[in-house]
Amino acid sequence: MKHAGGWPGDVVYIEVSGPRAQHFFAQAAGAGLRLADIYCAGAGYRARARGAELEKLRAVAAAGGWQLCVAARRGLGVRCAFFLRRPGLLVGAALFLCLVRWLPGFVWQIDFGSLDAAAQQQFRAVLAQHGVWEGAWLAQQKLQAAQDALDSAMQGLGWVSLNFAGGCLFVEQTVRDIQPVQQDPPAGALYAKAGGQVVSVLLQSGFASVEPGQYVAQGQLLANGQKADRQGDAVEQAAAGQVIARMEKSYTAVQPLAQQARLLTGQSAEQTVWHVLGRTFGGAENTEEKEAGAPGDGALCQTIWEPLHLGRIALPAAVCRTSYWMTETHTLNYTPETAAAMAKRACRLQLLQEFPGAQLERESAEIEQTQQGMQCTVRYTFCADIAQPGEVHPLAQDTGG
């Protein structure tokens, strides 16, 4: 190359040979070229010169008929010449520096810490609603919106924090282990929503009007929110708590022998969306069964986010796969035995809906077939909380205090 070893500041070691080669140095000195460390080396002579004067030395040698070759080169020009012969190295280095500055703004990895797979998908669903996934450009405003959404959605957690650094989004969370302070209940009393025999009175506040073993009727006062002191003045304390009673009650349910229900058809569809460096690709349903019904028309669906990796290296990309399973309305025919069991189960659900946490002691069922289907009447003996809030009972009418 023209400038190889001939850059300013470089040092070159030349070797001159040919007839009467010693006269080359006199010619070079006459041309104002400075040489040093001149010595005889076999059939020629060697010397040290400045790299900037190499071309002039070559011209002197050519004019005198001598052969000049460069034995060695030292200096920055040698290294520059290496990169000039390979410009791709400089371009690649410049591109790398640009990417290093630009790429960390994208989410390369989301670190969920110790969360299990199910919890991670739950977090991903909330983050995706605000455009946060692997491959998304994460601005401070978007990060704050996702933080607020997690605080609202994850009520069971004590503390949730999002920290973004170096392309990695850290999701930090703690489990709520301190219960919030309960507010004082509003002023009121407790009344019986059903009649029965009182088993236990578990009040948090208020003044009990009944005691264990006593029979109460529906609507009877169980605990009042005020009580007269010795001077007759009202002492207020809002009634709250439970009154457990033993009672008997019947429930009736009818189960038709034929019933309409939506069932899976065995047909499915899948929608795949690729998110890479802030760009979105895909989105069309990959299905041959779409003719059977568009996704969303009674179809069951599930969305799963999968980050992309190249071996152990996380990439700023993620795949969102939404699977659909088609359903159709069919008529289900039940045997009398199956319909009777379903009717009995419906009676149990009625009981638990009216008295959550009821403890069963006995039950007896009567089953008959009607025009509507199998009818089941179940009589339960159970213990449950019968207290329901109401207005404070006036002291003048409070006979239990």
Side-chain angles (χ1 to χ4, degrees), residues 263-268 292 325-330:
L263 303 178
L264 293 172
T265 65
Q267 299 172 328
S268 62
W325 294 273
M326 310 306 175
T327 61
E328 287 182 350
T329 301
H330 292 272

Side-chain angles (χ1 to χ4, degrees), residues 194-200 213-216 243-249 359 361-362 380-386:
Q197 183 183 16
V198 177
V199 175
S200 61
Q214 180 180 344
Y215 286 88
V216 297
V243 177
I244 308 300
R246 180 180 290 106
M247 66 197 91
E248 291 186 358
K249 196 166 185 179
Q359 300 295 322
E361 294 182 349
R362 293 188 302 273
Y380 297 102
T381 301
F382 60 95
C383 293
D385 179 22
I386 61 173

Side-chain angles (χ1 to χ4, degrees), residues 155-318:
Q155 296 292 339
L157 298 178
W159 174 75
V160 180
S161 176
L162 297 180
N163 297 300
F164 181 64
C168 183
L169 178 63
F170 296 92
V171 180
E172 301 176 359
Q173 55 85 28
T174 59
V175 179
R176 185 189 302 274
D177 55 1
I178 300 177
Q179 297 296 328
V181 178
Q182 295 184 356
Q183 300 295 328
D184 294 335
L190 297 178
Y191 296 87
K193 65 178 179 181
Q197 183 183 16
V198 177
V199 175
S200 61
V201 179
L202 308 173
L203 294 183
Q204 297 175 353
S205 59
F207 307 97
S209 300
V210 295
E211 58 185 16
Q214 180 180 344
Y215 286 88
V216 297
Q218 182 177 1
Q220 181 176 336
L221 177 67
L222 301 178
N224 203 3
Q226 61 182 1
K227 184 178 182 179
D229 59 10
R230 294 181 180 180
Q231 287 74 31
D233 298 329
V235 177
E236 295 186 356
Q237 187 181 85
Q242 294 181 333
V243 177
I244 308 300
R246 180 180 290 106
M247 66 197 91
E248 291 186 358
K249 196 166 185 179
S250 298
Y251 296 89
T252 300
V254 177
Q255 175 60 48
L257 296 177
Q259 186 177 13
Q260 298 290 321
R262 295 196 67 86
L263 303 178
L264 293 172
T265 65
Q267 299 172 328
S268 62
E270 184 176 279
Q271 183 182 30
T272 302
V273 180
W274 296 73
H275 301 275
V276 182
L277 292 176
R279 303 290 299 275
T280 300
F281 305 93
E285 289 81 8
N286 302 321
T287 177
E288 65 235 335
E289 305 92 349
K290 188 175 178 181
E291 299 177 355
D297 299 342
L300 303 177
C301 66
Q302 181 184 34
T303 300
I304 297 178
W305 286 86
E306 298 178 0
L308 295 182
H309 295 82
L310 182 61
R312 296 185 178 181
I313 301 176
L315 300 177

